[in-house]
Amino acid sequence: GPAGAGQEPDVHLGQADLPLMLAWGFTTVFNPGHDDLGSFTKSKALASHDPSRMPNFFGVGRAITIKGGHASAPRYGTAMPETPEEGRRTVRQMKQAGADAIKLIYDDLSQGGRPPVPIMHVDVMRSIIDEAHGQRLKVYAHAPQLRHAKEVMRAGADGLVHALDVERIDDELLALM
């Protein structure tokens, strides 16, 4: 729902939202992070069952971060694997729920001189990318800092879901992309 004064916006895209989005002219929707896998799976089923009343619906299921990291608050419903095996298991869970891709959060929020929050260990990040590719899923990363964007692209991520916040894209990142 809409955010009121001092409220966070909802991160949940529910089944009732899909026909409304089609009525507004959106024929295809890509959800880059759903807070509830059950609702995500129902939305996928509804959209594929009646394409005349629903837009094409694609998404990542739950985004993946780490405990204490960016978007780890319960309201986001993110997955938080701590080991490479947990990362691989999380990807398989998203695939089983109908995810069309994986969203990986690789951001310590330190841009602009803020104190950093924990960031996913590189071995976990790589296991997620490797498993996703083994499951024939693309991986899109929330990595709005140049060094993090390069790390995920070197590890094989397929793209970035946001622009860089402060730094300019350089030739190395363009080549990696």
Side-chain angles (χ1 to χ4, degrees):
Q7 290 181 309
E8 291 284 333
D10 287 344
V11 294
H12 182 80
L13 175 66
Q15 294 90 19
D17 298 318
L18 292 172
L20 184 58
M21 294 180 94
L22 185 62
W24 288 340
F26 293 95
T27 59
T28 301
V29 175
F30 181 81
N31 187 346
H34 210 84
D35 63 344
D36 177 82
L37 266 188
S39 174
F40 172 77
T41 302
K42 287 178 187 173
S43 295
K44 293 274 298 175
L46 279 171
S48 66
H49 177 69
D50 191 355
S52 67
R53 291 189 46 236
M54 308 274 186
N56 296 308
F57 179 66
F58 303 96
V60 302
R62 296 164 61 200
I64 305 173
T65 189
I66 64 161
K67 289 180 183 174
H70 178 48
S72 63
R75 71 178 176 270
Y76 293 114
T78 48
M80 294 180 256
E82 296 182 26
T83 66
E85 181 49 42
E86 286 178 11
R88 288 187 283 276
R89 190 169 37 249
T90 299
V91 169
R92 291 189 298 269
Q93 180 185 32
M94 298 305 157
K95 173 76 174 187
Q96 186 175 4
D100 301 290
I102 298 295
K103 180 180 178 182
L104 176 71
I105 297 174
Y106 199 69
D107 182 7
D108 67 6
L109 296 177
S110 66
Q111 55 272 45
R114 291 181 281 195
V117 299
I119 191 168
M120 186 177 293
H121 191 276
V122 68
D123 290 343
V124 177
M125 179 261 291
R126 287 185 178 142
S127 75
I128 291 167
I129 293 170
D130 291 345
E131 182 67 28
H133 289 163
Q135 297 288 332
R136 301 181 142 202
L137 296 172
K138 301 279 187 189
V139 177
Y140 302 106
H142 168 112
Q145 294 181 52
L146 185 61
R147 71 179 194 263
H148 296 150
K150 288 179 182 181
E151 286 178 34
V152 295
M153 296 308 292
R154 282 187 199 108
D158 299 287
L160 303 172
V161 290
H162 305 291
L164 300 185
D165 283 349
V166 178
E167 303 154 295
R168 294 177 59 111
I169 293 174
D170 65 12
D171 290 340
E172 182 184 6
L173 180 59
L174 287 174
L176 288 166
M177 292 175 76

